[in-house]
Amino acid sequence: DIQMTQSPSSLSASVGDRVTITCRASQSIYTYLNWYQQKPGKAPELLIYVASSLQSGVPSRFSGSGSGTDFTLTISSLQPEDFATYFCQQSHSTPRTFGQGTRVEVK
Amino acid sequence: QVTLKESGPALVKPTQTLTLTCTFSGISLTSSEVRVAWIRQPPGKALEWLARLDWNDDRVYSTSLKTRLTISKDTSKNQVGLTMTNMDPIDTATYYCARISRKDAFDIWGQGTMVTVSS
């Protein structure tokens, strides 16, 4: 199975900050990488697919980059509604696997 | 608008079999290229992919859980089911069904159903 490792596990930030979350795969997954946002008590929501494509309806302050084994999710200017947990997920191989999550908290 | 909704027991006893149902609305399971997955999340922990069912009836399972899982569909009810045998307290989690998009991402999720395994 492909292991997905996110860093950091949590971070504290303020509204307006630029936030970057990293996801590393245990082997090359090309650009088969998706990002999700999850708020407490809610199901995850798709933000980014195939590493850098913005899901319909997702604000443009979210962006994704990377290929191979290293990927990044960036929030250009953190908004109050962005405090949540973010997960990466590879869609290169079965079984699909997720990162352990990065919690973005209020500083 | 496509929506998914999970249903099933909130509490099961150890060794029992869990049966969950995911009901689709807004799209027919007989539509071409409809693919569905089950994913779970223990309290405070990460997401874990469990199984996938493709429009052509191909089924794929988690490596570690495949001996305990069965994914199925009932097109007459527009539902996808998941059974998990020999439940253990470690299986306590919120169980989600999700649609798999053409770009192989989970683009639509159900609200989730919390299952507690306890005697």
Side-chain angles (χ1 to χ4, degrees):
Chain A
D1 299 3
I2 296 177
Q3 305 303 313
M4 307 299 294
T5 304
Q6 288 180 235
S7 60
S9 297
S10 65
L11 64 89
S12 298
S14 301
V15 172
D17 284 353
R18 182 181 182 90
V19 170
T20 299
I21 298 168
T22 297
C23 179
R24 174 164 289 176
S26 59
Q27 65 187 73
S28 177
I29 57 171
Y30 302 92
T31 57
Y32 295 108
L33 190 283
N34 308 312
W35 289 98
Y36 302 86
Q37 177 193 68
Q38 186 178 34
K39 296 181 179 178
K42 300 293 186 181
E45 294 185 358
L46 177 64
L47 297 175
I48 302 282
Y49 59 95
V50 293
S52 59
S53 294
L54 197 66
Q55 173 69 353
S56 175
V58 174
S60 59
R61 62 181 180 272
F62 291 93
S63 64
S65 64
S67 65
T69 60
D70 294 314
F71 301 86
T72 299
L73 174 69
T74 299
I75 309 171
S76 60
S77 178
L78 196 67
Q79 297 302 300
E81 59 269 30
D82 300 337
F83 292 99
T85 301
Y86 295 84
F87 294 94
C88 62
Q89 174 249 328
Q90 63 83 15
S91 56
H92 174 268
S93 303
T94 300
R96 305 299 194 233
T97 45
F98 292 85
Q100 82 279 14
T102 295
R103 184 174 178 180
V104 177
E105 301 174 316
V106 177
K107 190 171 186 178
Chain B
Q1 180 189 3
V2 178
T3 61
L4 286 66
K5 186 174 183 179
E6 305 88 347
S7 57
L11 179 66
V12 298
K13 291 179 169 35
T15 76
Q16 286 187 335
T17 294
L18 171 68
T19 299
L20 298 172
T21 299
C22 174
T23 301
F24 271 66
S25 299
I27 189 170
S28 170
L29 281 178
T30 59
S31 301
S32 62
E33 300 189 22
V34 172
R35 304 165 71 200
V36 182
W38 283 96
I39 297 157
R40 71 178 179 179
Q41 185 175 36
K45 295 188 178 181
L47 298 158
E48 179 183 14
W49 180 91
L50 299 176
R52 183 186 84 220
L53 177 62
D54 293 345
W55 76 95
N56 59 1
D57 280 344
D58 279 353
R59 292 163 169 80
V60 188
Y61 296 101
S62 159
T63 306
S64 59
L65 294 169
K66 60 184 177 182
T67 60
R68 299 173 54 205
L69 294 172
T70 302
I71 191 169
S72 61
K73 66 180 177 182
D74 185 335
T75 54
S76 68
K77 296 180 179 178
N78 223 32
Q79 292 176 336
V80 174
L82 182 75
T83 61
M84 180 180 290
T85 61
N86 194 24
M87 293 292 285
D88 183 271
I90 201 171
D91 297 314
T92 293
T94 297
Y95 287 74
Y96 296 99
C97 59
R99 187 186 75 167
I100 304 169
S101 72
R102 293 175 185 264
K103 294 296 186 179
D104 219 346
F106 305 117
D107 66 338
I108 301 173
W109 296 65
Q111 63 191 19
T113 185
M114 178 65 194
V115 178
T116 300
V117 185
S118 175
S119 55

